[in-house]
């Protein structure tokens, strides 16, 4: 009885499929940089308070934070990690925070879901103005 051997074509097709599966797994994990906890575990210096417009919000993508200033001197911060699949949101436009992975929308001043598939709001993060700088995270 002979032992079956895989053809070169079968081996190459299998390798190609494994590569595609790996890329899909990375994209589906939030390949936009979402790694680690959704909220800071230590205080984060976000820079000057003037960077956040009154009545608007600013995305700090590298720190995975969103800070809004609904009224002069009042700051609210949220995780910028989408609660659906862990992707980092990519923009704030017209008071809405957009997730690039599956189209979820959040309110920039409350973190509430405006459009799914996300079902939970963006987690709130403590934030304070200190010496002209914004500090977010624990002890803020």
């Amino acid at each position: 009885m002979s032992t079956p051997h895989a053809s070169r074509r079968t081996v190459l097709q299998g390798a190609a499929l494994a590569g595609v599966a790996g890329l899909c797994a990375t994209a589906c994990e939030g390949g936009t940089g979402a790694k680690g906890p959704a909220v800071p575990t230590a205080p984060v210096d976000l820079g000057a308070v003037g960077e956040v417009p009154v009545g608007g919000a600013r995305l700090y993508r590298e720190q995975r934070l969103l800070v809004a200033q609904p009224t002069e001197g009042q700051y609210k911060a949220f995780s910028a990690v989408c609660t659906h699949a862990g992707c980092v949101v990519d923009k704030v436009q017209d008071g809405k925070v957009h997730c690039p992975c599956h189209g979820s929308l959040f309110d920039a001043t409350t973190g509430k879901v405006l459009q799914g598939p996300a079902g939970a709001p963006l987690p709130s993060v403590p934030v304070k103005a200190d010496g002209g700088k914004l500090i977010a995270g624990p002890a803020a």
Side-chain angles (χ1 to χ4, degrees):
M1 186 170 187
S2 66
T3 306
H5 294 286
S7 71
R8 179 181 171 154
R9 178 177 287 185
T10 302
V11 170
L12 291 175
Q13 286 175 335
L17 286 174
V20 170
L23 287 173
C24 181
T26 299
C28 294
E29 285 178 357
T32 56
K35 302 251 188 268
V39 295
T41 57
V44 179
D45 182 343
L46 298 174
V49 294
E51 296 292 316
V52 180
V54 176
R58 176 165 181 220
L59 177 61
Y60 294 87
R61 196 163 160 72
E62 290 289 316
Q63 294 84 3
R64 298 180 317 147
L65 291 169
L66 169 75
V67 179
Q69 186 178 188
T71 60
E72 180 86 34
Q74 178 194 20
Y75 297 94
K76 294 183 176 185
F78 304 94
S79 170
V81 178
C82 180
T83 56
H84 173 246
C87 296
V88 178
V89 299
D90 68 344
K91 65 183 172 181
V92 179
Q93 188 175 20
D94 299 325
K96 297 175 185 167
V97 181
H98 299 253
C99 180
C101 293
H102 302 105
S104 291
L105 293 175
F106 301 90
D107 183 287
T109 58
T110 65
K112 290 182 181 176
V113 177
L114 299 175
Q115 174 181 306
L122 295 173
S124 181
V125 174
V127 64
K128 69 178 177 181
D130 186 17
K133 290 188 174 191
L134 285 174
I135 308 294

